[in-house]
Amino acid sequence: MKVLSSQEQEILLAKLEVELGLRNSMIVRVFLFTGLRVSELCGLTFDDVYLGSEVKKYLFVRPAISKGGFQREVPLCEKLREDLKRYYSDKIQSASTVGIDPASYMFTQHKKTATPLTPRQVQRIVKLAGELITIPDLHPHTLRHTFATGLMRISSMRTVQALLGHRSLQSTQIYTHPSSDDMSKAVNRL
């Protein structure tokens, strides 16, 4: 499975909002910085991410939307929290005078509807994002894979397992992709 390089990630993040708009930009950012599955992203509600109008420090993946029915909390990095604040401000401006229902979906098909995006629609958005950086076959799972591989370089496999919501450590092992630089460092430590 392809993993985006740091350079590809930077270029993608720089082009996203201008080219694809705030909602679609946020979708890609949430994937890259949380490692969510596409079904989990589609099921996110404002209550999973926000406490009132404030962004929580952890994204809550409810059993109802997680694979296997296990809840987990994924820490939100400061950069993503700032982006999510902007997203909330944009949503509140386009909402009715009563504000945003905490139980409503974060990513809807249109600004004025409560219908959540489908996994297929999210896949199309991510594919469009990939075309911005000449990766025409970019998939949500590639972004999850990128998140996990980056974490594997700086954290333990158990931490990655917990953040991805895997029951088995074997499931997490598929995300280990030592680069030639990683292998050189390992050998040089002998």
Side-chain angles (χ1 to χ4, degrees):
M1 163 104 7
K2 166 118 175 98
V3 174
L4 297 183
S5 69
S6 297
Q7 184 180 9
E8 288 171 324
Q9 290 177 60
E10 286 176 30
I11 294 168
L12 178 61
L13 292 172
K15 289 184 172 187
L16 272 175
E17 196 168 325
V18 173
E19 300 287 333
L20 296 180
L22 184 57
R23 181 201 64 184
N24 296 349
S25 169
M26 283 308 306
I27 288 169
V28 174
R29 289 172 193 278
V30 169
F31 279 132
L32 276 175
F33 294 119
T34 66
L36 290 183
R37 296 174 177 96
V38 68
S39 59
E40 294 168 341
L41 181 127
C42 290
L44 278 182
T45 64
F46 281 96
D47 203 32
D48 297 328
V49 180
Y50 300 91
L51 183 60
S53 63
E54 293 299 312
V55 179
K56 295 178 181 178
K57 291 188 182 206
Y58 291 84
L59 181 151
F60 184 61
V61 182
R62 292 172 282 113
I65 64 170
S66 72
K67 184 175 178 182
F70 295 102
Q71 73 180 38
R72 70 183 189 280
E73 290 183 344
V74 179
L76 297 172
C77 69
E78 196 56 41
K79 175 65 179 133
L80 183 58
R81 290 181 76 227
E82 288 299 317
D83 291 338
L84 287 165
K85 283 179 192 175
R86 258 184 334 106
Y87 183 71
Y88 187 87
S89 293
D90 182 71
K91 290 295 273 188
I92 202 81
Q93 286 175 1
S94 63
S96 66
T97 55
V98 294
I100 296 174
D101 176 4
S104 65
Y105 292 103
M106 269 189 66
F107 300 111
T108 57
Q109 294 182 11
H110 304 285
K111 278 191 175 191
K112 304 278 185 199
T113 180
T115 307
L117 287 171
T118 65
R120 184 68 189 120
Q121 288 169 319
V122 171
Q123 289 167 351
R124 285 187 195 118
I125 290 165
V126 171
K127 183 174 175 32
L128 283 172
E131 290 170 359
L132 291 175
I133 58 170
T134 64
I135 300 176
D137 58 346
L138 188 63
H139 298 279
H141 199 76
T142 307
L143 302 178
R144 177 174 164 84
H145 209 78
T146 299
F147 170 79
T149 302
L151 278 179
M152 288 298 295
R153 292 192 173 119
I154 60 171
S155 186
S156 72
M157 194 175 302
R158 289 274 184 209
T159 300
V160 177
Q161 176 188 12
L163 289 171
L164 294 178
H166 289 157
R167 272 191 193 180
S168 163
L169 203 52
Q170 273 187 313
S171 299
T172 309
Q173 287 177 330
I174 63 167
Y175 295 98
T176 57
H177 296 288
S179 66
S180 43
D181 190 41
D182 295 332
M183 292 185 282
S184 292
K185 284 179 186 175
V187 169
N188 288 328
R189 286 183 193 154
L190 290 177

